[in-house]
């Protein structure tokens, strides 16, 4: 098991390096550069060269990459070129908002999804099952920015219950969390339902029935526990997907966060900030995948047996 | 019964039939657009702007007085063709890469695996946004962006399929009979791996429609006056309280179409009995 | 076991206290939404910034202020005098003025500030270019020695870019000035700034040196101002409508009707400083032919755009300058207005004949051109109407939409043919900015570089000895540029703002070109 863990973590190293190369280099293919935003229009080439030296943009790309990577590994994310402040400060301002949004959306998806999935599984092929599965499918196919705007229209404008945008109070979180969470709910509900139905057919369930336990107790006490394994795994694997949803939703609701920071910095060519944001998102996804794989290994007896 | 191909048999499922019907309807409307509507998608009639639904304009008009239903139908052309073309490219490249990785093993396999893990480390929308920033706005940029965003999925799926098929007896038999690599790959392995890849491609087309719409929301993709569902919603987002129908209907079109793709895909999976094959690599 | 209980009690009392403070503050607090074209300003450093927002004008006072009639009034300078030959200006400064960090404001501070301004050699340095040196006459008198007469000096000094910074902290803070800390003498000081999101200003309790146009001569009446940056107009409007914010510093014309529908909301308008136009790249065929430029310019139906896109609010534009400026009074023949007959005749004359599908042809080639715009919804909407109007005379324009901040880099390639743009400025020197031959690509999107124009430009920028001469020179320069059709004027909006009338009481009159420092001093929050 330990050997598996070590091997799994070591596998991340080449991926991390590849990710860092891509993050670093891809921005340089976008037309325009950050110096343009700083220089006086009509500036001399000398002034430009001086500015490039100042921000280290005059060196060959591989050298710039080496410096950047070694700084990042030492925890130094550099200084924003256009925003003129430490990138770490910008990230520190944005990250809590994104974590709150992503975390709550994840929680919402899990609770609502498992709940609906259980109800659907218990009523397999009857109308509550069909209604729930139809509803969540519809929920997962609406573009998140559209859903966000429609929710805004209904709950903020027509009903006046919740604030439209921003992050000035906890109520401002409700609509963005719902917007992202509804997509995740569909996924969780589907997996919960399928896993419960599958688990119900397993030998140990027949045994429990034979022992005379009440069907509901069997379902909630034993079957659900088994069914949760794939749910947790898939959720961990889907962290990136939730973060991706957060980018659009943050823009729609004018919320501070990594998504808005990223979009803003991308359009200003503020490389250090974009690099840091992408790195944060990629790391979250990689850790999510790692977590998912480990959970699968720990909880799935077949995989565990294979590794032993 | 077996004489019917699976895509037709899928229509026999209650939900599959309904979903397939909707998809056929949308596709037919997109193809026959000029014959279905008396309006042009690009002719402005400014005094008629912001009209709610009426007998003349079944879904109302947009901010230029253009018929919304007309634009929705023409928008289906853009959105469906961009998404489908992007996924087709993605599937082709993914199959080549995946097959190569599985067949040759060694460093090509490791390189492909790292590349797959690499693209999976970024949310699809970010990959797409950055690629469009590089390539430029317009449908080509969006198509490439979508194709790259989903490449990893098909590569990984094909690789897994080939890996399992590689050890099977009929491949061994072909090899013993002296068949070359190309022959085995293209005549034996890929055709057998095709069904699950095509079904997942179909499901991915649904996701691609949403991604295309999201990029359209950021003002990327088909340029005005050519309508796309995403572009229409993007324009509608500024009118959300003044003329909510401008954003509501394209969103519903996306949602219903993607639901239909999913339901039809489910029916197809059941017919082809490939749930296990897809599950293993999900 | 008592610990958890005490903790709960403590947190309950803390949150109760916080609630009470919040309520007390609410009475003296107001939330503003920054104008959409000011969103994303990265710094509050007026010396180095190329883009400053409304809040900057509250942190920094200026030597003089501009009134609604475009005349100049005392602010940090009590009075001033220009030498008859225009070669020196003497300013007498107000006494007892201090910066937010406690440093005194005096002649030495002004000298140090101007020297910093000139030394920065930033985008704004031209504003102080004509000032050769600054002499400290006494503690409260400075003399600007000029290298040439600058009739525009008072305008420059009234601009936000020439907000008077505190020189010591400016030097000490370096690049952090304007980002983490910033010190001026203004009615408000910076409390916090999150780039692209929110700026919070707190009242300067010592402030008794407001501009002459304000009725209030003491500290501001509102204790705390929050400026939020919301890029999408419709979201900002929804915030106002639902009570999330109190004031929108910009409202697009198509939303005016929506604001007026709400009983508790009110509209506030000031004369506009913005102008929308369509630059035409004079170097790219077919627009290297002046006939095609004129045809494209005269195909634009300004009245239709005013009515259909902007709901009739504001005015059409027929020159490159807002009509409040005297330099906009060019000869009738130089004005550019909708004339489809002329446009069609010119296109015929140039050999472009109408094809069967409504697109003109020459040598079998269709008249297809590119039309660039930015992704903001109002730009896209206007551009689509422009596209339809060009089509009406047989020009097929293909729209390409770029992200608003990326479009500059695109213009630098010089590949554009037509575009839709807007600017916000109330001085004739904007003609120099957008058509100067040394700024090709951006900001000179039209790639206009004409020897005669350059000659007139030099005379306008540096050749005038007094304001009358400057007006005459700029009018001539502007007029010549118009006759070369490097752009088509489209529309002049009003400055439209909206506020929650239940929450805010507006000053009875706003004697300023914009809702700035004077208006914020007089603004009140209703109890």
């Amino acid at each position: 098991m330990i050997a598996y863990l070590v091997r799994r973590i070591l596998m991340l190293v080449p991926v991390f390096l590849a990710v860092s190369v891509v993050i670093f280099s891809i921005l340089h293919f976008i037309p325009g550069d950050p110096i343009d935003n700083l220089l006086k229009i009509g500036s001399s080439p000398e002034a430009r060269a001086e500015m490039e030296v100042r921000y280290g943009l005059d060196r060959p790309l591989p050298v710039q990459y080496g410096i950047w990577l070694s700084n990042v590994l030492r925890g130094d994310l550099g200084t924003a070129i256009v925003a003129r402040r430490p990138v770490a400060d910008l990230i520190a301002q944005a990250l809590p908002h994104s974590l709150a949004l992503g975390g709550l959306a994840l929680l919402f998806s899990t609770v609502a999804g498992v709940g609906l999935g259980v109800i659907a599984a218990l009523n397999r092929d009857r109308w509550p099952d069909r209604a729930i599965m139809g509803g969540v499918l519809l929920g997962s196919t609406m573009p998140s920015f559209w859903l966000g705007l429609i929710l805004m229209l209904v709950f903020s404008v027509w009903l006046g219950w919740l604030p439209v945008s921003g992050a000035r109070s906890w109520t401002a979180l409700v609509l963005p969390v719902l917007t992202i969470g509804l997509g995740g709910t569909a996924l969780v509900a589907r997996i919960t339902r399928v896993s419960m139905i599958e688990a119900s057919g397993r030998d140990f369930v027949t045994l429990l029935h034979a022992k005379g336990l009440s069907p509901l107790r069997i379902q909630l006490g034993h079957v659900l526990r088994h069914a949760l394994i794939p749910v947790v795994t898939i959720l961990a694997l889907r962290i990136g997907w939730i973060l991706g949803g957060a980018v659009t939703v943050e823009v729609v609701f004018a919320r501070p966060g990594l998504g808005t920071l990223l979009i803003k910095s991308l359009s200003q060519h503020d490389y250090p900030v974009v690099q840091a944001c992408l790195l944060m998102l990629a790391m979250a996804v990689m850790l999510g995948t790692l977590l998912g794989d480990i959970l699968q290994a720990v909880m799935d007896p077949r995989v565990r047996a294979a590794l032993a | 019964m077996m004489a019917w191909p699976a895509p037709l048999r899928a229509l026999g499922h209650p939900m599959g039939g309904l979903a397939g019907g909707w998809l056929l309807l949308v596709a037919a409307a997109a193809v026959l657009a000029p014959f279905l509507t008396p309006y042009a998608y690009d002719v402005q009639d400014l005094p008629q702007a912001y009209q709610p639904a009426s007998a003349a304009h079944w879904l109302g008009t947009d901010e230029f007085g253009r018929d919304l239903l007309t634009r929705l139908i023409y928008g289906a052309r853009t959105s469906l063709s961009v998404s489908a073309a992007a996924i087709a490219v993605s599937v082709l490249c993914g199959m080549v890469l995946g097959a190569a990785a599985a067949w040759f093993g060694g460093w090509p396999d490791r390189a492909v695996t790292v590349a797959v893990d690499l693209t999976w480390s970024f949310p699809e929308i970010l990959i797409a946004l950055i690629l469009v920033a590089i390539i430029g706005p317009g449908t080509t940029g969006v198509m490439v962006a979508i194709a790259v965003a989903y490449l990893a999925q098909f590569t990984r799926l094909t690789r897994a399929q080939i890996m399992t098929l590689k050890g099977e007896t009929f491949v061994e038999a072909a090899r013993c009979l002296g068949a070359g690599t190309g022959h085995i790959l293209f005549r034996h392995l890929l055709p057998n791996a095709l069904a699950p890849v095509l079904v997942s491609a179909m499901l991915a087309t649904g996701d691609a429609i949403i991604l295309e719409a999201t990029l359209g929301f950021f003002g990327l993709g088909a340029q005005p006056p050519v309508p796309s569902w995403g572009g229409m919603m993007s324009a509608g987002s500024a009118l959300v309280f003044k003329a909510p129908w401008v954003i509501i209907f394209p969103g519903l079109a996306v949602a219903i179409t993607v639901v239909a793709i999913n339901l039809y895909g489910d029916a197809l999976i059941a017919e082809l009995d490939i749930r296990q094959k897809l599950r293993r690599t999900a | 076991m008592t610990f958890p209980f005490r903790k709960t009690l403590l947190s309950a009392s803390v949150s109760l206290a916080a609630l009470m403070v919040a309520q007390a503050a609410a009475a003296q607090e107001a939330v503003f939404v920054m104008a959409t074209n000011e969103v994303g300003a990265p710094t509050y450093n007026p010396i180095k910034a190329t883009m400053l927002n409304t809040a900057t004008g509250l942190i920094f006072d200026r030597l003089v202020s501009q009134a609604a009639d475009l005349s100049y009034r005392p602010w940090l300078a009590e009075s001033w005098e220009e030498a008859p030959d225009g070669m020196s200006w003497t300013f007498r400064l107000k006494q007892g003025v201090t910066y937010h960090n406690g440093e005194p404001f005096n002649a030495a501070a002004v000298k140090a500030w101007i020297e910093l301004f000139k030394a920065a050699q930033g985008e704004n340095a031209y504003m102080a270019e004509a000032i050769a040196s600054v002499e400290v006459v006494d503690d409260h008198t400075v003399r600007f020695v000029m290298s040439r007469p600058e009739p525009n000096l008072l305008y420059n000094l009234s601009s936000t870019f020439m907000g008077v910074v505190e020189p010591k902290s400016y030097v000490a803070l370096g690049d952090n000035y304007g980002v983490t800390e910033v010190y001026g003498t203004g009615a408000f000081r910076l409390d916090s700034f999150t780039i692209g999101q929110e700026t919070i200003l707190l009242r300067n309790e010592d402030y008794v040196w407001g501009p002459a146009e304000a009725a209030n001569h003491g500290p501001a009446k509102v204790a705390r101002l929050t400026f939020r940056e919301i890029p999408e107009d419709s979201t900002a409007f929804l915030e106002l409508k639902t009570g999330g914010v109190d004031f929108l510093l910009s409202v697009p014309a198509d939303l005016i009707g929506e604001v007026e529908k709400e009983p508790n909301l009110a509209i506030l308008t000031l004369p506009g400083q913005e102008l929308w136009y369509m630059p035409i790249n004079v170097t790219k065929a077919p627009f290297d032919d002046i006939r095609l430029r004129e045809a494209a310019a005269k195909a634009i139906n300004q009245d239709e755009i005013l009515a259909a896109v902007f709901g009739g609010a504001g005015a059409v534009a027929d020159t490159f300058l807002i009509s409040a400026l005297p330099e906009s009074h060019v000869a009738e023949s130089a004005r550019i207005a909708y004339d489809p007959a002329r446009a069609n005749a010119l296109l015929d004359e140039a050999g472009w004949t109408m094809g069967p599908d409504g697109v003109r042809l020459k040598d079998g080639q269709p008249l297809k051109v590119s039309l660039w715009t930015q992704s903001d919804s109002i730009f896209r909407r206007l551009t689509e109407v422009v596209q339809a109007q060009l089509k009406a005379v047989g020009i097929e324009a293909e729209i390409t939409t770029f992200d608003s901040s990326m479009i500059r880099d695109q213009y630098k390639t010089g590949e554009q043919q037509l575009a839709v743009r807007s600017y916000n400025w109330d001085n004739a020197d904007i003609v120099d900015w957008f058509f100067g031959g040394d700024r090709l690509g951006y900001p000179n999107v039209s790639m206009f570089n004409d020897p005669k124009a350059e000659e007139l430009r030099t005379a306008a920028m540096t050749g005038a000895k007094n304001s009358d001469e400057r007006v005459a020179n700029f009018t001539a320069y502007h007029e010549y540029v118009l006759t070369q059709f490097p752009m088509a004027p489209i529309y002049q909006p009003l400055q439209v703002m909206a506020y929650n009338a239940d929450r805010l009481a507006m000053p009875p009159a706003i004697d300023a070109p914009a809702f700035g420092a004077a208006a914020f001093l007089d603004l009140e929050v209703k109890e």
Side-chain angles (χ1 to χ4, degrees), chain A residues 32 36 39-41 54 82-85 90 93 152 156-157 164-166 168 255-256 266-269, chain C residues 31 42-43 121-123 175 179 193-195 197-198 226 228 238-239 242 403 405-406 409 412 439 442-443:
Chain A
D36 282 343
L39 272 184
K40 185 181 169 185
I41 283 159
R54 184 165 165 199
V82 179
R84 295 194 178 96
R85 63 188 77 186
L90 291 169
Q93 271 175 351
M152 200 193 271
S156 307
V157 181
V164 174
S165 69
R168 290 166 65 76
R255 283 184 59 81
L266 186 63
S267 60
Q268 290 174 330
H269 305 296
Chain C
V31 184
T43 173
Q121 293 189 340
E123 208 78 82
D175 267 355
V179 174
F193 168 41
T194 312
I195 181 171
Q197 290 294 334
E198 191 173 81
T226 303
R228 284 186 55 193
L238 294 182
E239 282 285 9
T242 55
D403 183 87
S405 40
M406 296 220 189
D409 298 309
K412 283 177 190 162
R439 300 197 187 96
Y442 189 85

Side-chain angles (χ1 to χ4, degrees), chain C residues 228-269:
Chain C
R228 284 186 55 193
E229 303 188 24
I230 302 180
E232 192 56 57
D233 285 315
S234 53
T235 314
F237 166 71
L238 294 182
E239 282 285 9
L240 180 72
K241 180 173 159 153
T242 55
V245 304
D246 305 314
F247 196 116
L248 306 185
L249 284 160
S250 75
V251 176
D254 61 320
L255 287 181
I256 296 174
E258 303 300 312
V259 174
E260 282 168 343
K261 272 189 212 158
E262 306 297 317
N264 61 331
L265 303 184
I267 288 278
L268 181 70
T269 53

Side-chain angles (χ1 to χ4, degrees), chain B residues 42 44 46 50 63-64 66 71 133 137 216-220 223-225 231 234-235 237-242, chain C residues 232 234-235 237-238 241 254-255 258 304 308 375 377 380-382 384-385 387-388 391 398-402 406:
Chain B
D42 59 345
Q44 303 182 358
L46 294 171
Y50 307 113
E63 70 270 39
F64 303 107
R66 300 178 298 205
R71 288 183 59 78
F217 174 70
F218 285 103
L220 310 165
Q223 296 294 318
S234 172
S237 68
L239 314 167
V240 75
F241 40 86
K242 189 170 185 176
Chain C
E232 192 56 57
S234 53
T235 314
F237 166 71
L238 294 182
K241 180 173 159 153
D254 61 320
L255 287 181
E258 303 300 312
E304 184 184 61
S375 51
S377 52
R380 284 191 282 165
R381 202 175 314 158
L382 174 56
E384 274 199 65
V385 176
Q387 181 185 43
K391 182 78 193 291
E398 281 185 342
I399 296 180
T400 310
T401 315
F402 293 97
M406 296 220 189

Side-chain angles (χ1 to χ4, degrees), chain B residues 47-280:
Chain B
Q48 287 295 311
Y50 307 113
Q51 297 291 315
S54 67
H57 301 284
W58 293 359
L59 298 183
T61 63
D62 69 1
E63 70 270 39
F64 303 107
R66 300 178 298 205
D67 183 61
L68 203 63
L69 181 59
T70 302
R71 288 183 59 78
L72 209 56
I73 292 173
Y74 278 94
R77 276 189 174 183
T78 321
S79 295
L80 299 184
S81 62
V82 167
S83 314
I87 292 296
V89 172
S90 197
V91 167
L92 278 179
C93 299
M95 287 187 80
V96 171
L97 283 176
W103 185 256
F104 295 111
W107 69 262
D109 188 28
R110 277 198 296 276
V112 166
T113 309
V114 167
V116 165
D117 284 351
L118 176 71
T119 36
W120 274 10
S121 300
F122 299 99
E124 284 131 10
I125 177 73
L126 285 185
I127 299 178
L129 276 176
I130 291 178
L131 285 175
V132 174
I134 294 171
I135 304 166
T139 33
T140 323
V142 167
M143 249 191 271
V144 174
I146 295 176
V148 174
Y150 289 100
L151 185 58
Q153 183 179 333
F154 301 117
T155 309
R156 192 162 162 159
L157 185 58
T158 312
R159 178 179 170 275
Q161 296 296 319
I162 304 276
M163 287 292 235
T164 40
L165 289 172
K166 230 167 98 175
E168 299 211 356
T169 30
F170 73 97
V171 180
E172 288 301 319
R175 209 197 303 259
C176 288
L177 291 172
T181 302
H183 180 81
I184 296 175
L185 255 181
F186 289 102
R187 292 300 298 277
H188 297 287
L189 293 182
L190 283 176
N192 275 295
L194 205 57
V197 173
L198 285 186
V199 171
S200 89
M202 179 171 172
L203 294 177
T205 309
D207 294 341
I209 292 175
I210 299 179
L211 185 57
E212 194 266 345
T214 307
L215 291 171
F217 174 70
F218 285 103
L220 310 165
Q223 296 294 318
V226 177
S228 73
W229 288 347
M232 291 172 72
M233 284 189 268
S234 172
S237 68
L239 314 167
V240 75
F241 40 86
K242 189 170 185 176
W245 54 88
V246 178
I247 184 165
I248 288 177
F249 291 119
L252 285 179
V254 169
I256 295 173
T257 306
V258 180
V259 166
I261 288 178
N262 275 285
L263 290 176
Y264 183 73
D266 280 349
L268 206 53
I269 290 170
E271 270 310 320
L272 291 166
D273 201 18
I274 50 169
R275 190 171 294 282
Q276 285 307 318
K277 285 185 174 181
L278 283 168
R279 176 79 67 74
R280 243 178 281 143

Side-chain angles (χ1 to χ4, degrees), chain C residues 278 280 287 291-300 390 395 418:
Chain C
M278 176 180 79
I280 305 171
F287 294 118
R291 291 174 297 186
L292 270 94
R293 297 206 294 273
E294 184 177 350
K298 292 191 166 161
I300 305 301
L390 290 168
I395 302 175
L418 302 174

